[in-house]
Each structure stands twice: as C-alpha cells, then as structure tokens.
C-alpha cells in the first residue's frame, strides 16, 4: 500500500442499526476501489471485515475492523480508512473505540426498514462527538423502498440539517440511477457504480425542486453576501454551492443524504466523491491532550512535521492472526525499526514493523503519517487507551470513552482443572474488549463476568470454546445479603470442658441489640463490675462476637448493625482461658441472635434509566413490579426522561434485556450501590430456605 500524507487521508466510521447494511457498504467500497474482485457476502461469510468465526457463524459484526481503500479523487489520490462497526447494542464498546479515531461518519439506513433505534443512537453519538456525517440510504433496489417517505421521516427526526444530495431515478420499479441535486444532472448506472449522464425524468421534477430549494437556502445561510444574492434571485454557480456545502458538512451543520444498493454495488462512486469533497482530512482537525509533565490540557493539530505521537484505540488478540495494537498517529511520522515511549505505562516499546490492517490481513507499510490509522505487532505492555510518543514529547491523549458494563452473570468451569486456562483466555478477551470485566466475589465464592448485555456474554462463552477449547457455564449470580437483629436480648453463654489436667472454663452474660449502624458489623462494649470477668479476657469475648459476625446463624450471611455488651460472667483461676471466653461469647451470640427477631437485609442500588419520553410509563410500571421505588423523573431536554429509583440489586438481574425490549433498544441504565434494607418476609423465607439447602450441600 502507498504512503499517504495527512491531507490525503479520510477516516470514516460506518454507523447504524444492526442489519442495515454497514458491512455490505464497506464491501462495496472495497470492490469499487479495486481492493477485491468480487462482492463479499455476509450470509456466505466472505466479507473482509467480518472475518471472525463467531461473526461468520452469526452473520453480524461483533468487532470493529478497518478496511482501508485507495481512491483517485478530484485533487489526487486519497486513502479512506473505513471503520466497520457492529450495529447490535451489546457491542457498543467496539463502536465507541472506532468513533474515537474517526473524523467523519456514514450513518447507513435501510430504505425499507426506515429509521431504527440504531439510527437514532448513531446520530446521538455523532452529535456528542461533534462528528461530520452523511446518511447513506441502502437497499434502494427494493421496489417497496420509498426514498421520499424516508426523507420526510429523517427531516422530522433530525431537523433542518438533513440535505438530500440525490433524487432516485426508477424505471419499471427498478433503481436505475439518480439526479445529482448539486449539479442538477441525471445519472444512469451502467456497470455497478459506474454511470453516464442522462436526462432528468419528468416525474422526478417535483421532488427535485423541493430538494434543490432546501439546498440553495442552506447555501445562502453560509454568509451575508450569499443571503443577499439569494433574496435578489441570483443563481449560485456549482463551485459556490460546493464550497458552501463543504463548509457546512465539515462542521456537521448539514448532513447530506445519498443513496445506493449494496448488493448491486450501485451509488458507491458518488459516495466516494462526497467523502473526498466534503469530509475533512485530519489536516484540518485537532486532538485534545494533556501535558504529562505539567498536567496542562492542550489542543494539537495533526501535523506530520512535529515530534511523533500516537494513541492506541483498539487491541486485537487472536490465536490465528496474532496480537496487534491499532493506533492513530496524531503528530509526526512513524517508521519501522525504531523505539517509542509508552507515556501511559512509562515503558519503551520496540517498533519492528508497521502495518495497516485490512480485515484480518496485515499489510506492511514503510511509514505512517499524522492522521493515519495503522497497527503495531507484539507490543509487550501497551493496552487500549495508551499514548505512545517520543521521549521529548510526553503527552497523553484521550482514549476511547467506553460504556460501563452493568450486566453480569456468575461463571464456572464445566471441567475441573480448566480454571487457569479460562482465566488466561478471559484475560485475552478483556484485553481485546474493555467492556468485558472479570470480578472475583470472595464473599459468595463466585466469579462474575460483566458485559454490556446477555448476547455479548453468550458470545464470550462461544469464543472460549472455539478459540481456547475451554467450556464455561453461566448462571444467575448470588447476591450479597446481610443479617441483623431488631430487638434487644440478654443471654448467658457457658463453655466448660474437663478432660484431665487443666480444663476449659468461660462464663459470660451478654446483651445483644441493634446498633443502628448498618455500615459496620458490630459494636462491642463492656459493663462488668467487681471483676466478674477479668479485663484480660475482654478481647477474647470480642473476638468471639467478631467471628460469629462473619457468618450469621439465620442464613450464613455476614452480620451487620449489632451491638454486643458484656454485662457479667464468672471465671476459674486455673481453667479459664482466652479460648474458653471466646467460645462462651460464641454460644451466647447464637442463642441470642435467633431470639432477637433476626432479619435478612438486601443490597439496594440507586438506579438511573434514560429512555425516550414515550416509554416512561412502561419503565415505571416495570420498576414497581421489581419492588423498585421511583424517586423522580427529569427531562434531559433532548426528548428523553431520566427516571431515578431505588431498587433491590437482585431484581436487576436480566433488566438490560427487558429494558431493551421495552424501548426498542433506546433505553440505557446505570446504577451504584446505595445501602442495605430489610427484605420482605416472602423474599427472606425463600432466601433462607435456598441458602440452607446450599449450605447443607456444601
């Protein structure tokens, strides 16, 4: 592959709903630019970007991948790094990684399916990241697809930014060409994306006039001189229109809508022209960073003449293709056989060779200039989000802003002895996908696997079996209940043991009651008078209480909120010992606890659910069914409502799937631990019974 300067680069991410045709768009771009000789197929598993066995088996994208293509633009050759991303919401981390290095976006919309939840999410992400974008309407070969109807919906949903650059030409219910609204010329397809000029059909005139008026009005708004000319009835030249559109599109203030057919590779020559003309090169953009020495924030341009620096946006760890760190060069030029400093890890890494990844293929290149996307192989300490730089330019760039995983399940090895293999395999998978997280829950003796959704966790299990030949089983996790008491009880505890020689003797009288502080296990006090229990045994009595609090008598959960007071007792000058008084306190504790109205406490979390306004009623009803208490509702002033609630942690199991079903995928949630509260009687009875069976089995 040729080497490209900063101004010759375009970094474009494909976004949209699952199944809208993003991978097919990437495939068609590769075909039209000569990367491939035939159009790969998702059902056949022959596409460049969906190369993983899981992607081929499931027929949808799971990971973000890069498909660089070379195109001869109007002002010379350019390289377009096409970033193909998954559309299913469980893999949002892959989307966020790709967006972090993209300079513009193509939102792919299936004309027949129309605006889907993934379309809306893609738009919101572009707004948040301030990404210039265009909408590519695919599936235009379907005779049921109405471009005009979709355009009206887009304008209603996204406002005046929507600007159609094309109007379709159909003959005999077939998509045969389009009208270029900017140049006001007809185009008829000949071979795939190639076209020739043709007359504009009469039936297209009405829609063309509407699209043209909207376009010219937008152009007039770019400056006062144009506005005066517009009101005086002057015509703009094609060059003036294109110049104004370039300014609007590159700032994200106008969103072109263009069209094509993925399976027939129609419309992609024009798409390449639009990318070349209207999308910005990194040369015109900036990256935010922090000076590692002073902590000062700064903006830097993508300048190939500066000291070299780059940010790692993704890691690929594959048993077959190896380990690659994908990077975007921010400043300077990277070359092979050099060293580079990892500022994030304070370590020096060796660059042996430079690569450009195209799907699973690693293409060796001589150098990478500022703004380009490439890969380094077999780095030792570097991880996703790290910054690489020259030792004299110690800067830190923002890594991908990733969604936090809230869905989790417990997992265990199906075959004993596989635990170490599973741990190593999961370490590689979490390195590749930072939205996966492994947490060891020692209290409940379980290991938890966190992710964005259930589908992602299921695919992890499948990858473990396919790639690493280990089998794991997912199950509902155990939840961290607590035990406490509700009333005061006074009990005696006596430990006496005689077995020849010195015996064991300890005798205590103690009062147990609620302390009112559920944050600490117990509070210990002594109110002994007259030396009934010598002071040197007080710590042993407290130790007996502390040991009992580790595993309560009710269901074997830790005890909290207990106040234990040593009132009285007796001792033997020869047989008494610390062990005896510890055991006596243990006996008193267990007798008193079950008489003091023992109750189970369940963990309560503070939950926030963000979803479009029309789903608020359904969400509140579902939260009530899950024993949640709605605390408030706040508008985000963007058509959505944030519902705040307190809810038992155990009731959130499976909530992600339910919320997605209720809101069509547009709802999101987050939570954090708040406190412990008493369980309802039926929940307590069920948990005590379940726990008893479990402890008996152990």
């Amino acid at each position: 592959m040729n080497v490209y300067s900063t101004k010759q680069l375009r970094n474009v991410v494909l976004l949209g709903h699952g199944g809208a045709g993003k991978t097919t768009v990437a495939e068609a771009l590769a075909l039209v630019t000569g990367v491939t000789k035939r159009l790969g197929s998702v059902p056949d598993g022959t596409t460049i970007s969906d190369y993983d066995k899981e992607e081929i088996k499931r027929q949808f994208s799971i990971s973000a991948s890069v498909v660089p293509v070379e195109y001869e633009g109007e002002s010379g050759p350019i390289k377009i790094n096409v970033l193909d991303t998954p559309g299913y919401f469980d893999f949002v981390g892959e989307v966020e990684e790709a967006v972090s290095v993209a300079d513009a976006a193509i939102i792919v919309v299936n004309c027949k399916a129309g605006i889907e939840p993934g379309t809306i999410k893609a738009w919101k992400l572009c707004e948040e990241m301030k990404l210039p974008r265009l909408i590519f309407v695919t599936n235009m070969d379907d005779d049921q697809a109405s471009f005009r109807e979709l355009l009206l919906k887009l304008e209603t949903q996204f406002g005046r930014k929507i600007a159609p650059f094309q109007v379709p030409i159909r003959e005999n219910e077939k998509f045969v060409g389009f009208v270029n609204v900017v140049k006001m010329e007809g185009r008829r397809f000949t071979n795939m994306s190639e076209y020739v000029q043709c007359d504009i059909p009469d039936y297209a005139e009405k829609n063309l006039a509407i699209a043209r008026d909207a376009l010219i009005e937008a152009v007039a708004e770019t400056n006062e001189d144009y506005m005066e000319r517009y009101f005086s009835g002057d015509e703009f030249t094609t060059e003036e229109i294109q110049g104004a559109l370039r300014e609007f599109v590159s700032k994200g203030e106008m969103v072109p809508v263009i069209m094509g057919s993925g399976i027939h590779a129609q419309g992609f020559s024009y798409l390449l022209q639009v990318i070349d003309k209207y999308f910005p090169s990194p040369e015109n953009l900036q990256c935010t960073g922090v000076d590692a020495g002073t902590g000062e924030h700064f903006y830097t341009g993508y300048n190939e003449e500066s000291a070299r620096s780059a940010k790692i946006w993704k890691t690929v760890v594959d048993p077959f293709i190896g380990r690659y760190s994908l990077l975007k060069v921010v400043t300077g030029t990277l070359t092979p056989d050099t060293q580079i400093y990892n500022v994030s890890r304070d370590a020096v890494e060796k660059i042996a060779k430079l690569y450009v990844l195209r799907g699973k293929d690693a293409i060796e290149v001589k150098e990478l200039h500022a703004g380009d996307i490439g890969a380094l192989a077999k780095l030792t300490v570097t991880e996703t989000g790290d910054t690489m730089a020259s030792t004299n330019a110690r800067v830190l760039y923002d890594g991908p802003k990733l969604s936090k995983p809230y869905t989790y399940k417990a997992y265990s090895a199906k075959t004993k002895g596989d635990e170490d293999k599973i741990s190593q395999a999961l370490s590689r998978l979490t390195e590749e996908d930072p939205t996966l997280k492994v947490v060891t829950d020692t209290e409940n003796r379980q290991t938890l696997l966190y992710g964005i959704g259930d589908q992602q966790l299921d695919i992890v299990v499948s990858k473990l079996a396919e790639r690493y030949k280990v089998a794991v089983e997912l199950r509902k996790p155990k939840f961290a209940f607590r035990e406490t008491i509700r009333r005061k009880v006074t009990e005696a505890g006596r430990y006496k043991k005689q077995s020849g020689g010195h015996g064991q003797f300890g005798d205590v009288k103690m009062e147990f009651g609620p302390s009112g502080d559920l944050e600490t296990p117990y509070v210990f006090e002594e109110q002994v008078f007259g030396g009934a229990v010598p002071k040197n045994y007080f710590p042993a009595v407290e130790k007996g209480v502390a040991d009992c609090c580790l595993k309560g008598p009710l269901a074997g959960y830790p005890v909290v909120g207990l106040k234990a007071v040593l009132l009285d007792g007796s001792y033997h000058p020869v047989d008494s010992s610390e062990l005896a008084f510890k055991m006596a306190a243990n006996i008193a504790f267990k007798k008193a606890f079950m008489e003091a109205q023992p109750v189970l406490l369940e963990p309560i979390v503070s939950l926030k659910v963000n979803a479009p306004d029309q789903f608020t009623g359904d969400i509140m009803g579902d939260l009530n069914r899950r024993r949640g208490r709605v605390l408030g509702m706040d508008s985000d002033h963007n058509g959505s409502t944030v519902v705040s609630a307190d809810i038992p942690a155990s009731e959130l199991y499976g909530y992600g799937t339910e919320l997605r079903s209720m809101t069509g995928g547009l709802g999101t949630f987050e939570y954090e631990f708040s406190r412990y509260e008493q369980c309802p009687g039926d929940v307590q009875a069920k948990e005590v019974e379940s726990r008893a069976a479990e402890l008996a089995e152990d």
Side-chain angles (χ1 to χ4, degrees):
M1 180 172 279
N2 296 324
V3 173
Y4 290 85
S5 65
T6 305
K7 67 179 179 181
Q8 293 175 295
L9 298 168
R10 305 288 186 276
N11 298 311
V12 182
V13 62
L14 296 172
L15 303 173
H17 196 76
K22 297 179 294 301
T23 299
T24 304
V25 167
E27 200 66 26
L29 287 170
L31 177 67
V32 169
T33 54
V35 171
T36 57
K37 299 299 181 186
R38 61 185 293 270
L39 190 70
S41 163
V42 172
D44 294 343
T46 55
T47 63
I48 298 170
S49 56
D50 287 359
Y51 59 85
D52 186 86
K53 285 187 177 180
E54 286 299 317
E55 294 177 313
I56 294 169
K57 180 173 78 174
R58 297 171 189 268
Q59 298 188 9
F60 60 75
S61 300
I62 293 170
S63 300
S65 55
V66 190
V67 183
V69 299
E70 296 168 294
Y71 172 66
E72 191 66 39
E74 276 191 2
S75 55
I78 64 168
K79 175 187 172 188
I80 304 169
N81 290 312
V82 179
L83 300 153
D84 185 22
T85 65
Y88 290 96
F89 303 137
D90 280 21
F91 312 105
V92 66
E94 299 287 336
V95 179
E96 290 163 339
E97 286 179 335
V99 166
S100 72
V101 292
D103 302 322
I106 297 172
I107 300 176
V108 180
V109 180
N110 184 312
C111 191
K112 189 174 180 181
I115 297 174
E116 298 175 276
T119 315
I120 297 169
K121 285 205 165 194
W123 182 278
K124 285 184 176 178
L125 188 57
C126 290
E127 290 283 285
E128 182 185 332
M129 302 297 290
K130 296 181 172 55
L131 272 186
R133 75 216 74 147
L134 67 80
I135 293 174
F136 185 80
V137 180
T138 188
N139 207 25
M140 287 298 295
D141 50 287
D142 192 313
D143 60 0
Q144 301 297 315
S146 171
F147 182 74
R148 181 61 195 155
E149 187 178 321
L150 174 62
L151 202 57
L152 291 171
K153 290 177 180 176
L154 289 170
E155 289 169 349
T156 302
Q157 179 73 42
F158 302 125
R160 294 184 63 189
K161 285 186 176 184
I162 298 298
F165 275 29
Q166 295 172 307
V167 172
I169 296 177
R170 290 185 181 276
E171 286 181 5
N172 300 320
E173 298 183 344
K174 288 186 178 180
F175 178 55
V176 297
F178 62 90
V179 180
N180 184 323
V181 178
V182 178
K183 294 184 176 179
M184 292 297 283
E185 294 173 353
R187 305 281 189 253
R188 178 181 290 274
F189 295 122
T190 53
N191 178 33
M192 293 191 300
S193 257
E194 294 175 11
Y195 55 75
V196 294
Q197 189 169 335
C198 68
D199 294 332
I200 299 172
D202 293 340
Y203 66 81
E205 291 287 355
K206 182 180 177 184
N207 288 339
L208 178 60
I210 295 170
R212 178 73 176 182
D213 287 346
L215 208 61
I216 296 301
E217 187 177 332
V219 169
E221 291 178 358
T222 56
N223 64 51
E224 291 182 6
D225 181 42
Y226 281 9
M227 185 65 78
E228 287 179 15
R229 287 175 57 190
Y230 173 72
F231 282 121
S232 64
D234 284 359
E235 289 288 327
F236 297 117
T237 66
T238 300
E239 290 72 22
E240 287 173 331
I241 294 171
Q242 289 178 338
L245 294 179
R246 186 175 293 112
E247 181 184 342
F248 261 49
V249 174
S250 63
K251 289 180 179 177
E253 294 173 7
M254 179 180 285
V255 179
V257 182
I258 60 179
M259 66 186 79
S261 165
I263 59 172
H264 294 127
Q266 294 173 323
F268 292 93
S269 292
Y270 186 73
L271 174 59
L272 288 164
Q273 292 172 32
V274 172
I275 292 171
D276 177 31
K277 284 181 185 175
Y278 300 115
F279 276 175
S281 72
E283 182 185 41
N284 303 314
L285 302 171
Q286 288 185 319
C287 181
T288 59
V290 176
D291 186 309
T294 65
E296 277 187 43
H297 288 259
F298 66 88
Y299 293 94
T300 182
Y302 289 90
N303 182 355
E304 52 198 352
E305 302 301 324
S306 301
R308 60 190 175 170
S309 66
K311 56 182 180 180
I312 307 295
W313 63 275
K314 181 174 172 59
T315 305
V316 176
V317 185
D318 191 286
F320 305 106
I321 71 171
R323 185 186 192 278
Y324 289 95
S325 300
L326 277 67
L327 55 83
K328 183 179 185 182
V329 183
V330 179
T331 57
T333 301
L334 288 189
T335 54
D337 299 317
T338 55
Q339 288 186 335
I340 192 164
Y341 178 63
N342 185 323
V343 186
S344 307
R345 308 280 163 189
D346 190 22
V348 175
E349 294 273 28
K350 178 81 168 69
I351 301 176
K353 294 180 179 179
L354 285 176
Y355 298 95
V356 167
L357 292 188
R358 181 180 281 145
K360 65 180 177 182
D361 297 325
I363 305 163
E364 196 173 338
V365 291
K366 295 177 181 177
E367 54 188 34
L368 289 170
H369 289 246
D372 209 350
I373 290 173
L376 304 176
K378 299 176 183 176
L379 298 183
T380 53
V381 299
T382 301
E383 296 180 6
T384 300
D386 287 357
T387 297
M388 319 286 281
S390 301
T391 51
N392 62 342
R394 300 191 176 194
V395 296
L396 289 166
Y397 297 120
D398 296 335
K401 185 182 175 185
L402 299 173
S403 296
K404 188 176 177 182
Y406 288 103
T407 297
Y408 64 96
K409 289 184 178 182
Y411 75 87
S412 57
K414 283 188 178 179
T415 306
K416 275 196 170 184
D418 276 355
E419 287 80 8
D420 286 345
K421 288 182 185 176
I422 291 168
S423 178
Q424 290 171 11
L426 281 174
S427 176
R428 292 191 184 101
L429 291 178
T430 53
E431 195 177 352
E432 197 171 28
D433 183 357
T435 62
L436 287 174
K437 188 171 68 170
V438 177
V439 175
T440 302
D441 178 7
T442 52
E443 180 183 323
N444 291 303
R445 291 187 296 170
Q446 61 182 355
T447 314
L448 305 173
L449 182 62
Y450 279 76
I452 301 297
D454 291 338
Q455 189 177 52
Q456 182 188 20
L457 300 184
D458 290 341
I459 286 174
V460 168
V461 173
S462 196
K463 281 184 177 181
L464 288 171
E466 181 66 38
R467 287 189 189 179
Y468 303 102
K469 311 305 178 190
V470 287
V472 302
E473 193 172 43
L474 296 179
R475 65 179 185 277
K476 184 176 180 179
K478 302 168 192 172
F479 297 94
F481 286 83
R482 296 286 184 265
E483 299 180 21
T484 193
I485 54 178
R486 286 300 180 208
R487 72 184 183 92
K488 286 184 180 180
V489 169
T490 302
E491 273 291 352
R494 175 179 287 236
Y495 182 73
K496 186 176 182 181
K497 191 173 182 182
Q498 195 71 39
S499 57
H502 287 308
Q504 295 284 355
F505 180 83
D507 178 33
V508 295
K509 181 181 179 184
M510 300 185 71
E511 179 186 84
F512 298 91
S515 70
D517 178 13
L518 298 180
E519 299 291 322
T520 54
Y522 69 92
V523 175
F524 177 75
E525 294 179 3
E526 53 81 20
Q527 297 176 6
V528 178
F529 296 99
V533 177
K535 287 184 179 181
N536 57 308
Y537 293 131
F538 291 171
V541 175
E542 182 177 356
K543 183 70 167 63
V545 173
D547 285 354
C548 287
C549 285
L550 296 175
K551 198 171 183 180
L554 182 61
Y557 287 110
V559 173
V560 295
L562 179 87
K563 183 176 181 180
V565 183
L566 176 61
L567 301 174
D568 201 356
S570 61
Y571 74 102
H572 189 279
V574 176
D575 291 346
S576 288
S577 65
E578 289 186 357
L579 174 63
F581 273 99
K582 176 184 166 186
M583 296 303 294
N586 195 307
I587 292 166
F589 180 100
K590 289 179 178 176
K591 285 163 63 177
F593 196 90
M594 297 309 287
E595 296 173 10
Q597 294 180 359
V599 293
L600 272 189
L601 302 174
E602 60 183 343
I604 303 296
V605 299
S606 295
L607 173 72
K608 289 187 185 296
V609 184
N610 188 317
D613 297 338
Q614 65 264 33
F615 301 113
T616 304
D618 292 340
I619 289 168
M620 290 176 66
D622 182 66
L623 290 177
N624 287 330
R625 183 177 62 80
R626 294 172 182 268
R627 299 192 288 122
R629 290 195 299 274
V630 176
L631 304 177
M633 294 181 295
D634 298 296
S635 172
D636 71 349
H637 306 293
N638 197 26
S640 293
T641 298
V642 179
V643 179
S644 303
D646 282 349
I647 188 169
S650 59
E651 294 291 347
L652 280 182
Y653 181 73
Y655 185 65
T657 303
E658 186 67 29
L659 179 64
R660 199 169 289 175
S661 174
M662 273 190 294
T663 63
L666 292 174
T668 60
F669 72 102
E670 60 184 54
Y671 61 85
E672 60 181 13
F673 173 76
S674 174
R675 63 189 179 280
Y676 277 93
E677 281 187 6
Q678 184 176 339
C679 288
D682 59 331
V683 174
Q684 175 169 319
K686 186 177 177 182
E687 184 61 29
V688 168
E689 183 183 348
S690 166
R691 186 75 163 171
E694 184 183 311
L695 293 173
E697 187 178 321
D698 288 346

